[in-house]
Amino acid sequence: MRCRKCSSRALIRLPRHNSAFCAVCFDDYVLEQVRRAIKGDRMFGRDEGIAVAVSGGKDSLVLWEILTRLGYRTMGLHIDLGIGSYSEASRRKVETFAQPRNLSFVVHSLRDEHGAGVSEIANGMRRPACSACGVIKRYNMNAIAAEHGLPVLATGHNLDDEAARLLGNVLHWQDDYLEKQSPALPNAHPKLVRKVKPLYRLAEREIAAWAVLQKIDYIVDECPNSQGSKLLLYKDALNRLEAAAPGTKHHFYLQFLDRQKAREALVPLVADLRECTSCGQPSTGEVCSYCKLIATLKVAK
Amino acid sequence: MRCRKCSSRALIRLPRHNSAFCAVCFDDYVLEQVRRAIKGDRMFGRDEGIAVAVSGGKDSLVLWEILTRLGYRTMGLHIDLGIGSYSEASRRKVETFAQPRNLSFVVHSLRDEHGAGVSEIANGMRRPACSACGVIKRYNMNAIAAEHGLPVLATGHNLDDEAARLLGNVLHWQDDYLEKQSPALPNAHPKLVRKVKPLYRLAEREIAAWAVLQKIDYIVDECPNSQGSKLLLYKDALNRLEAAAPGTKHHFYLQFLDRQKAREALVPLVADLRECTSCGQPSTGEVCSYCKLIATLKVAK
C-alpha cells in the first residue's frame, strides 16, 4: 500500500476517500481538514482568542494541539465533573498535556462549586447523567469563555459524533435540534460565545491515529456514565453501515450541512433569547436549564 | 405474560406497543392495523377492485389473505422473474395459496415475454439486479392492473421495509425519493394506478407470526439476488436500534409521514409525466425506464 500523495509506504488507509497516506502526508491531510473547516465555515479569525473545551480525551487534546500548531491563541477549559478516579485521571491528562507546551488553561470543578459531582446532580434531577452533563458543560463553558473575554468556544466533536447525533435527531425527527446542528453556531445573544467544531471533517479513527503518531497522551477510557448511551448505539449502527459502504457518514453529515446552508439562506435562524432571572445568562425560558438543575440539587440537600 | 386485552395467556409480545396478545387478540390487532391504514390513508373503497402484487413471500400472501377476509375484491398479480428454482418455488406458493381459496390471479413470466430472466436483463444493463427488478416489477404491475381495469395496486411492504427505505433515503438525502415515499401514492397520470401499502403499520416479525398462526405456506428463502443488498443492511441497523429502544422504527417512519402530510398540505405533489414514445406508458422522460432496459437486452442479443 503506497501513499497517494508521495508514493512512499502508506501507514493509514482512508477507504472513504479511496486513499492511503504515509505519516507525513497524513499529517498534512489532518491539518488541511481542520484549516478547511475553520475557513469554509468562518469559524474564527487569526486575531480572536479561542477557548478550547478539553476533557482529556483524544479529540479535545488533538484539537488543542492542532490549533496551537496552526498558530491560534488558545486557552484550555476543563470541567472537572467529579466522577471519581475517572475525572481525576482526565484532569491529569489535561495538565500533563498543557504544562510542557506552556499552554494556559482553567479548571472548573463541580465539587468545589456545588459539593456534588455530575452523577449526584443528575440523580437529584432524575435525569440521565449525559443529559445533565450536557447542560452543565454548555453553561459553564460558555460562561467561563465569556468571562475571559474569549469570543469563541471550540469543541473536539468529530465526524462520527456529528453523524451519530444527526442520526439520532433524524430518527426522532427533532426539528429544533436539526436546525441547530451546525459545526459553527453564531452567538445568538451578547452573552453567548460562538460555538465551533473544527474537527467535524475528521473521522474518529483518523483522530485516534493522529493522536498516536503525535504521541499525545490522552485518557482512553470512555466516561463510565456513557455506558449504553444512545449516541454510542448510533455510532455503532453507522460504523456497520460505513464498513459496508465507506463514505456513508461523510456523505450523510456533509450533505445535510449543504442542505442546511441552502435552507438558512432562505430562512435565517432567529433565536428568541432573554436573560435568566436567576443568573442573568441567556435563556429561552424565564429560568435557564442550568439554574433549574442546580435548584433541584439545593432542594435535595 | 398475559394478553393485554383479554388477560388470557399471551402468545406474542409487542415491545414497541409495550403490549402482549393472545392469538385471538393478536389477530384483531393485525386486522385493525390494516383497516386503519386503508381508512386513514384513504387507500381504496369497498367498490374498487384491487390488484395485489404477490411474490409468494409472507408479506404479500398475508396481505392477500387479510384483504380477502376484510371482504375486498382482489386479483393476484405474480411476476415470474425467471430466477431458476427460486422463481419456480415462488410461483408454486402463489398457486397453492390461491387455488383452495378460489382467488383469481395472473402470472406474467419474464422468460415467456423476453426470453430472459431478471438476472440476465440486469447483467445486460450493467445494473444491480435489484434495481432492474424494481423497474420491471413497477412497470408490469402497473400495466397489468390497468389492463384489467383495476384502479389500485396493493403491495406487501411492511414497517421494516418502509423504515429501511427511509433510512437509505435519509442517509443519502434523496429528496426526490423522500417526497415519493408514501404508503398511498395517488395516480399521477390516467395510465397509472394508485399504489398502496396496507401493511405499513405492521412490523416484519408481526407479519411472520401472523402467517404462522394462519398456517400460510410462503417461500421462506430471501431472493438469491438480494444478498448483500443495501436494504438488508439498513434493516439490520434498524433492528439493532429497535432492540435497544423498541418503537424506533415505528416512530421514525410514522413521524416522517406526519411531517410529510403537513408539508403536502402546503405544496401538493405534482408529477410532470408524459407518455413513453415507445410503449405509451407514463414516463418522466421521452422513453420510459422499462423500454430503455428492454432495449439493452435486444442490443445484447
Side-chain angles (χ1 to χ4, degrees), chain A residues 79-217:
Chain A
I79 310 281
D80 186 330
L81 297 161
I83 312 173
S85 60
Y86 174 76
S87 286
E88 283 163 30
S90 302
R91 185 174 175 158
R92 268 199 306 277
K93 296 290 181 191
V94 173
E95 290 162 353
T96 341
F97 178 87
Q99 277 149 2
R101 288 168 174 84
N102 239 332
L103 295 169
S104 65
F105 65 100
V106 292
V107 173
H108 180 82
S109 158
L110 280 193
R111 277 205 198 285
D112 289 352
E113 194 190 5
H114 300 296
V118 69
S119 311
E120 297 97 295
I121 298 179
N123 277 345
M125 288 188 79
R126 292 190 195 94
R127 255 172 97 154
C130 298
S131 141
C133 190
V135 173
I136 290 169
K137 285 198 285 197
R138 273 193 299 277
Y139 182 92
N140 283 298
M141 295 281 185
N142 181 75
I144 300 168
E147 203 179 284
H148 284 79
L150 301 168
V152 190
L153 174 69
T155 55
H157 294 95
N158 59 42
L159 179 60
D160 295 54
D161 295 322
E162 294 305 293
R165 196 177 150 203
L166 179 59
L167 179 60
N169 286 338
V170 163
L171 284 174
H172 299 94
W173 297 108
Q174 303 262 36
D175 284 315
D176 287 3
Y177 292 131
L178 280 170
E179 267 173 28
K180 275 192 276 184
Q181 197 180 346
S182 158
L185 268 186
N187 57 326
H189 185 281
K191 284 186 181 175
L192 285 178
V193 301
R194 211 176 317 146
K195 276 160 203 135
V196 298
K197 299 171 180 171
L199 301 187
Y200 82 89
R201 303 183 64 89
L202 291 166
E204 199 158 292
R205 65 178 276 276
E206 293 162 16
I207 293 170
W210 196 82
V212 170
L213 290 172
Q214 301 291 321
K215 300 191 176 64
I216 292 174
D217 179 28

Side-chain angles (χ1 to χ4, degrees), chain B residues 38-51:
Chain B
I38 294 171
K39 209 175 159 189
D41 292 87
R42 298 179 188 178
M43 292 186 172
F44 40 77
R46 287 267 153 219
D47 52 332
E48 295 181 294
I50 302 153

